[in-house]
C-alpha cells in the first residue's frame, strides 16, 4: 500500500516511517467512515491506551526514583488522560489527516477533543504493531517529552482535590450542574457550576463538560483555600 502525500508528510512529523502503511491508514480512520473493507481505529485505540500507559509509567519511575506510588499516580493520570492526548495530537497535526465520514467532518470532527485523543492512542498502537514496543515508547517519549519533566509534583485532578477538601471538613461531595450551553453544535461551549454544602459556588466555561468541571473546581478550591 502506498501512502498519500499528506500521510507521508505526517510520518515525517512523528519521526516514524511505517513498514506496514496499512496500520497508519487504520489509525487515522474514524468509525464514521469505516466499512467491511476499511477497518477503523477503535481496536487500535484500545491497545494504544495500554502501550501509552506502560511507556508513561516507566518514564515517570525513571524521572523520579524517590517518588511514592501516591505521588506518581496523579502525575500519570495527568499525562495519559484524553485531554493531554488531544493536545499532543494537535501539535503533530493529527486532525488534518484523519479520515472522517461526511457527518463527522461537517460537525467539526477534526477539532473534537475525544476524537483526537482516541486517534492519538490508535497511532501509538499502530507504531507498536508496526515496529514493536521500543519504537512505540520512543514515539511517546518524543512527543510527550517536555510534559513528563514539567508535570506538577502534585498533579491531582482539581475535582479530586476539591472533594478531598470537602471531606476533610465533613462536607458531602461537591455538586456539579450544567448552567448553560452556547455556540454551534460542532463547537459547543459548556458552562458548569460547582457548589459546596456551605453554599460556596463557582462557574467555568469550556469546550467540554469535563474541562469546565475541572476549571470550576480549581477556581472554587482556590477561593476556599484563600479564605481558610
Amino acid at each position: 500500500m502506498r501512502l498519500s502525500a499528506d500521510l507521508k508528510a505526517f510520518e515525517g512529523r512523528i519521526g516514524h516511517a511505517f513498514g506496514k502503511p496499512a496500520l497508519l491508514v487504520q489509525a487515522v480512520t474514524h468509525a464514521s467512515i469505516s466499512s467491511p473493507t476499511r477497518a477503523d481505529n477503535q481496536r487500535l485505540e484500545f491497545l494504544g491506551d495500554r502501550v501509552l500507559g506502560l511507556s508513561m509509567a516507566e518514564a515517570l519511575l525513571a524521572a523520579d526514583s524517590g517518588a511514592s506510588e501516591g505521588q506518581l499516580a496523579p502525575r500519570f493520570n495527568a499525562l495519559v488522560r484524553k485531554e493531554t492526548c488531544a493536545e499532543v495530537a494537535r501539535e503533530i497535526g493529527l486532525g488534518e489527516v484523519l479520515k472522517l465520514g461526511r457527518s463527522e467532518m461537517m460537525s467539526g470532527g477534526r477539532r473534537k477533543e475525544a476524537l483526537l485523543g482516541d486517534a492519538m492512542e490508535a497511532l501509538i498502537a499502530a507504531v507498536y504493531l508496526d515496529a514493536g514496543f521500543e519504537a512505540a515508547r520512543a514515539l511517546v517519549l518524543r512527543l510527550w517529552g517536555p510534559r513528563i519533566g514539567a508535570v506538577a509534583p502534585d498533579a491531582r485532578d482539581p475535582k479530586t482535590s476539591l472533594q478531598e477538601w470537602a471531606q476533610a471538613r465533613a462536607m458531602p461531595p461537591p455538586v456539579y450542574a450544567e448552567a448553560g450551553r452556547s455556540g454551534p453544535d460542532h463547537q459547543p461551549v459548556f458552562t458548569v457550576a460547582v457548589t459546596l454544602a456551605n453554599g460556596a459556588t463557582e462557574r467555568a466555561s469550556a469546550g467540554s463538560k469535563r474541562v469546565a468541571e475541572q476549571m470550576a473546581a480549581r477556581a472554587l478550591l482556590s477561593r476556599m483555600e484563600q479564605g481558610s
Side-chain angles (χ1 to χ4, degrees), residues 1-8 11 17-29 37-40 99 126 130:
M1 173 184 286
R2 283 192 173 185
L3 292 175
S4 60
D6 59 340
L7 286 180
K8 289 297 293 183
E11 282 187 319
F18 280 82
K20 304 169 186 173
L23 286 168
L24 175 55
V25 174
Q26 182 180 352
V28 300
T29 300
T37 58
R38 187 200 297 246
D40 63 51
K99 298 181 181 299
D130 184 64

Side-chain angles (χ1 to χ4, degrees), residues 56 60-61 63-81 84 147-148 150-157:
M56 198 57 64
L60 287 170
L61 285 172
D64 190 347
S65 60
S68 67
E69 187 276 339
Q71 293 171 316
L72 291 170
R75 301 178 200 175
F76 174 86
N77 292 333
L79 290 166
V80 303
R81 64 190 179 193
T84 305
R147 289 177 169 83
I148 297 171
V151 66
D154 181 4
R156 287 175 298 172
D157 184 293

Side-chain angles (χ1 to χ4, degrees), residues 82-96:
K82 200 70 72 177
E83 292 89 348
T84 305
C85 290
E87 287 175 6
V88 175
R90 291 188 188 96
E91 290 173 0
I92 60 175
L94 180 52
E96 299 166 14

Side-chain angles (χ1 to χ4, degrees), residues 104-175:
E104 193 62 64
M105 197 178 304
M106 295 293 289
S107 65
R110 297 187 189 282
R111 299 186 299 274
K112 290 181 180 177
E113 193 159 85
L115 193 151
L116 287 171
D118 291 347
M120 187 67 239
E121 292 172 345
L123 176 64
I124 293 168
V127 173
Y128 169 77
L129 293 174
D130 184 64
F133 179 70
E134 292 300 326
R137 178 171 59 184
L139 176 77
V140 169
L141 295 179
R142 188 160 60 247
L143 299 183
W144 264 259
R147 289 177 169 83
I148 297 171
V151 66
D154 181 4
R156 287 175 298 172
D157 184 293
K159 292 179 64 177
T160 300
S161 297
L162 181 61
Q163 182 165 327
E164 291 175 351
W165 185 93
Q167 288 176 339
R169 289 155 181 81
M171 292 185 188
V175 175

